[in-house]
Short mmCIF file of all heavy atoms in Angstrom, two decimals:
data_model
loop_
_atom_site.label_atom_id
_atom_site.label_comp_id
_atom_site.label_asym_id
_atom_site.label_seq_id
_atom_site.Cartn_x
_atom_site.Cartn_y
_atom_site.Cartn_z
N ASP A 25 57.12 66.60 115.32
CA ASP A 25 55.91 67.10 115.99
C ASP A 25 55.06 65.88 116.44
O ASP A 25 54.62 65.81 117.58
CB ASP A 25 55.14 68.00 115.01
CG ASP A 25 53.81 68.45 115.56
OD1 ASP A 25 53.74 68.72 116.76
OD2 ASP A 25 52.83 68.49 114.80
N ARG A 26 54.86 64.93 115.49
CA ARG A 26 54.05 63.74 115.85
C ARG A 26 54.68 62.99 117.01
O ARG A 26 53.98 62.51 117.92
CB ARG A 26 53.99 62.78 114.64
CG ARG A 26 52.98 63.18 113.58
CD ARG A 26 52.70 62.02 112.61
NE ARG A 26 53.89 61.52 111.92
CZ ARG A 26 54.40 62.08 110.82
NH1 ARG A 26 53.86 63.16 110.28
NH2 ARG A 26 55.50 61.57 110.23
N LEU A 27 56.00 62.89 117.02
CA LEU A 27 56.69 62.08 118.05
C LEU A 27 56.74 62.78 119.40
O LEU A 27 57.10 62.17 120.39
CB LEU A 27 58.11 61.78 117.56
CG LEU A 27 58.24 60.77 116.44
CD1 LEU A 27 59.65 60.78 115.84
CD2 LEU A 27 57.87 59.36 116.93
N SER A 28 56.40 64.06 119.46
CA SER A 28 56.48 64.78 120.76
C SER A 28 55.11 65.23 121.23
O SER A 28 54.99 66.12 122.05
CB SER A 28 57.45 65.95 120.65
OG SER A 28 57.05 66.86 119.63
N ARG A 29 54.04 64.55 120.74
CA ARG A 29 52.70 64.82 121.27
C ARG A 29 52.40 63.76 122.34
O ARG A 29 51.62 62.84 122.10
CB ARG A 29 51.66 64.74 120.16
CG ARG A 29 51.67 65.93 119.25
CD ARG A 29 50.49 65.90 118.34
NE ARG A 29 50.80 66.64 117.13
CZ ARG A 29 50.24 66.44 115.97
NH1 ARG A 29 49.29 65.52 115.83
NH2 ARG A 29 50.58 67.18 114.94
N TYR A 30 53.04 63.90 123.48
CA TYR A 30 52.91 62.84 124.50
C TYR A 30 51.53 62.94 125.16
O TYR A 30 50.95 64.01 125.27
CB TYR A 30 53.98 63.02 125.55
CG TYR A 30 55.37 63.24 124.97
CD1 TYR A 30 55.99 64.48 125.08
CD2 TYR A 30 56.02 62.23 124.31
CE1 TYR A 30 57.26 64.71 124.54
CE2 TYR A 30 57.29 62.42 123.75
CZ TYR A 30 57.88 63.66 123.88
OH TYR A 30 59.12 63.87 123.33
N ASP A 31 51.07 61.80 125.68
CA ASP A 31 49.81 61.82 126.44
C ASP A 31 50.09 62.36 127.84
O ASP A 31 51.22 62.76 128.14
CB ASP A 31 49.16 60.43 126.46
CG ASP A 31 50.03 59.42 127.18
OD1 ASP A 31 50.91 59.81 127.98
OD2 ASP A 31 49.83 58.21 126.97
N ASP A 32 49.08 62.34 128.73
CA ASP A 32 49.28 63.02 130.02
C ASP A 32 50.10 62.22 131.04
O ASP A 32 50.25 62.64 132.17
CB ASP A 32 47.94 63.52 130.60
CG ASP A 32 46.96 62.39 130.77
OD1 ASP A 32 47.37 61.23 130.67
OD2 ASP A 32 45.78 62.69 131.01
N GLN A 33 50.69 61.12 130.58
CA GLN A 33 51.73 60.47 131.44
C GLN A 33 52.95 61.37 131.51
O GLN A 33 53.75 61.28 132.44
CB GLN A 33 52.17 59.14 130.83
CG GLN A 33 51.07 58.13 130.73
CD GLN A 33 51.06 57.20 131.95
OE1 GLN A 33 51.28 57.62 133.08
NE2 GLN A 33 50.83 55.94 131.68
N CYS A 34 53.13 62.19 130.49
CA CYS A 34 54.26 63.15 130.48
C CYS A 34 53.75 64.48 131.00
O CYS A 34 52.79 65.04 130.45
CB CYS A 34 54.79 63.33 129.04
SG CYS A 34 56.05 64.63 128.90
N PRO A 35 54.31 64.99 132.08
CA PRO A 35 53.85 66.28 132.62
C PRO A 35 53.87 67.39 131.56
O PRO A 35 54.77 67.44 130.72
CB PRO A 35 54.86 66.57 133.75
CG PRO A 35 55.48 65.27 134.08
CD PRO A 35 55.46 64.46 132.82
N ALA A 36 52.84 68.25 131.62
CA ALA A 36 52.66 69.28 130.58
C ALA A 36 53.88 70.18 130.45
O ALA A 36 54.31 70.49 129.33
CB ALA A 36 51.42 70.11 130.90
N ARG A 37 54.48 70.55 131.57
CA ARG A 37 55.63 71.48 131.48
C ARG A 37 56.85 70.81 130.83
O ARG A 37 57.56 71.43 130.06
CB ARG A 37 55.98 71.93 132.92
CG ARG A 37 57.00 73.04 132.98
CD ARG A 37 57.15 73.56 134.40
NE ARG A 37 58.28 74.48 134.50
CZ ARG A 37 58.25 75.75 134.13
NH1 ARG A 37 57.15 76.26 133.61
NH2 ARG A 37 59.31 76.52 134.26
N LEU A 38 57.03 69.54 131.13
CA LEU A 38 58.12 68.81 130.49
C LEU A 38 57.86 68.70 128.99
O LEU A 38 58.76 68.92 128.16
CB LEU A 38 58.26 67.39 131.13
CG LEU A 38 59.33 66.50 130.51
CD1 LEU A 38 60.73 67.10 130.66
CD2 LEU A 38 59.31 65.11 131.19
N ARG A 39 56.62 68.40 128.62
CA ARG A 39 56.27 68.28 127.19
C ARG A 39 56.55 69.62 126.48
O ARG A 39 57.13 69.67 125.42
CB ARG A 39 54.79 67.89 127.03
CG ARG A 39 54.38 67.79 125.55
CD ARG A 39 52.96 67.29 125.39
NE ARG A 39 52.00 68.22 125.98
CZ ARG A 39 51.08 67.86 126.87
NH1 ARG A 39 50.99 66.61 127.28
NH2 ARG A 39 50.25 68.76 127.38
N GLU A 40 56.13 70.70 127.11
CA GLU A 40 56.33 72.02 126.50
C GLU A 40 57.82 72.33 126.34
O GLU A 40 58.25 72.90 125.34
CB GLU A 40 55.63 73.13 127.30
CG GLU A 40 54.11 73.07 127.24
CD GLU A 40 53.59 72.72 125.85
OE1 GLU A 40 53.96 73.38 124.86
OE2 GLU A 40 52.81 71.74 125.74
N ALA A 41 58.60 71.96 127.33
CA ALA A 41 60.05 72.22 127.27
C ALA A 41 60.70 71.41 126.15
O ALA A 41 61.53 71.92 125.38
CB ALA A 41 60.70 71.89 128.61
N ILE A 42 60.30 70.14 126.05
CA ILE A 42 60.85 69.30 124.97
C ILE A 42 60.49 69.89 123.61
O ILE A 42 61.34 70.07 122.72
CB ILE A 42 60.31 67.86 125.07
CG1 ILE A 42 60.84 67.17 126.35
CG2 ILE A 42 60.67 67.04 123.83
CD1 ILE A 42 60.19 65.83 126.66
N ARG A 43 59.21 70.25 123.44
CA ARG A 43 58.74 70.75 122.15
C ARG A 43 59.37 72.11 121.83
O ARG A 43 59.64 72.46 120.68
CB ARG A 43 57.21 70.81 122.12
CG ARG A 43 56.61 69.37 122.04
CD ARG A 43 55.09 69.39 122.17
NE ARG A 43 54.41 70.10 121.09
CZ ARG A 43 54.10 69.58 119.90
NH1 ARG A 43 54.40 68.32 119.63
NH2 ARG A 43 53.48 70.30 119.00
N HIS A 44 59.57 72.93 122.86
CA HIS A 44 60.19 74.25 122.68
C HIS A 44 61.55 74.05 121.97
O HIS A 44 61.86 74.77 121.01
CB HIS A 44 60.42 74.88 124.06
CG HIS A 44 61.27 76.12 124.03
ND1 HIS A 44 60.76 77.38 123.77
CD2 HIS A 44 62.61 76.30 124.22
CE1 HIS A 44 61.73 78.27 123.81
NE2 HIS A 44 62.87 77.64 124.08
N SER A 45 62.34 73.12 122.43
CA SER A 45 63.68 72.94 121.85
C SER A 45 63.67 72.09 120.59
O SER A 45 64.35 72.40 119.60
CB SER A 45 64.61 72.29 122.89
OG SER A 45 64.84 73.18 123.94
N LEU A 46 62.88 71.00 120.60
CA LEU A 46 62.89 70.07 119.46
C LEU A 46 62.27 70.70 118.22
O LEU A 46 62.76 70.46 117.10
CB LEU A 46 62.13 68.78 119.85
CG LEU A 46 62.21 67.64 118.86
CD1 LEU A 46 63.64 67.11 118.70
CD2 LEU A 46 61.27 66.50 119.29
N LEU A 47 61.22 71.48 118.42
CA LEU A 47 60.51 72.04 117.24
C LEU A 47 60.99 73.44 116.90
O LEU A 47 60.49 74.04 115.94
CB LEU A 47 58.99 72.03 117.48
CG LEU A 47 58.40 70.66 117.85
CD1 LEU A 47 56.88 70.72 118.00
CD2 LEU A 47 58.76 69.57 116.82
N ALA A 48 61.98 73.94 117.61
CA ALA A 48 62.58 75.25 117.27
C ALA A 48 63.23 75.13 115.88
O ALA A 48 63.58 74.05 115.46
CB ALA A 48 63.60 75.62 118.32
N PRO A 49 63.35 76.29 115.20
CA PRO A 49 63.81 76.21 113.80
C PRO A 49 65.32 75.93 113.64
O PRO A 49 66.10 76.82 113.36
CB PRO A 49 63.46 77.60 113.24
CG PRO A 49 63.39 78.48 114.41
CD PRO A 49 62.97 77.66 115.61
N GLY A 50 65.68 74.66 113.84
CA GLY A 50 67.06 74.22 113.58
C GLY A 50 67.23 73.97 112.10
O GLY A 50 66.26 73.88 111.34
N LYS A 51 68.47 73.85 111.69
CA LYS A 51 68.74 73.60 110.26
C LYS A 51 68.39 72.18 109.83
O LYS A 51 68.27 71.89 108.68
CB LYS A 51 70.22 73.88 109.95
CG LYS A 51 70.58 75.37 110.10
CD LYS A 51 72.02 75.67 109.72
CE LYS A 51 73.06 75.21 110.74
NZ LYS A 51 72.96 75.80 112.07
N ARG A 52 68.30 71.27 110.81
CA ARG A 52 67.97 69.84 110.55
C ARG A 52 69.02 69.17 109.67
O ARG A 52 68.69 68.30 108.86
CB ARG A 52 66.58 69.70 109.91
CG ARG A 52 65.44 70.38 110.60
CD ARG A 52 65.19 69.85 111.99
NE ARG A 52 64.00 70.43 112.60
CZ ARG A 52 63.89 70.72 113.89
NH1 ARG A 52 64.91 70.54 114.70
NH2 ARG A 52 62.79 71.21 114.36
N LEU A 53 70.28 69.61 109.81
CA LEU A 53 71.32 69.04 108.95
C LEU A 53 71.53 67.55 109.15
O LEU A 53 71.68 66.79 108.19
CB LEU A 53 72.67 69.73 109.22
CG LEU A 53 72.83 71.13 108.67
CD1 LEU A 53 74.25 71.63 108.95
CD2 LEU A 53 72.56 71.13 107.16
#
Side-chain angles (χ1 to χ4, degrees):
D25 175 39
R26 281 195 302 278
L27 289 167
S28 58
R29 285 190 205 154
Y30 313 110
D31 64 20
D32 56 13
Q33 297 266 40
C34 173
R37 188 173 172 79
L38 178 61
R39 179 176 62 234
E40 290 321 307
I42 292 170
R43 288 174 63 84
H44 170 85
S45 293
L46 187 65
L47 305 183
K51 294 183 286 300
R52 308 297 186 217
L53 285 183

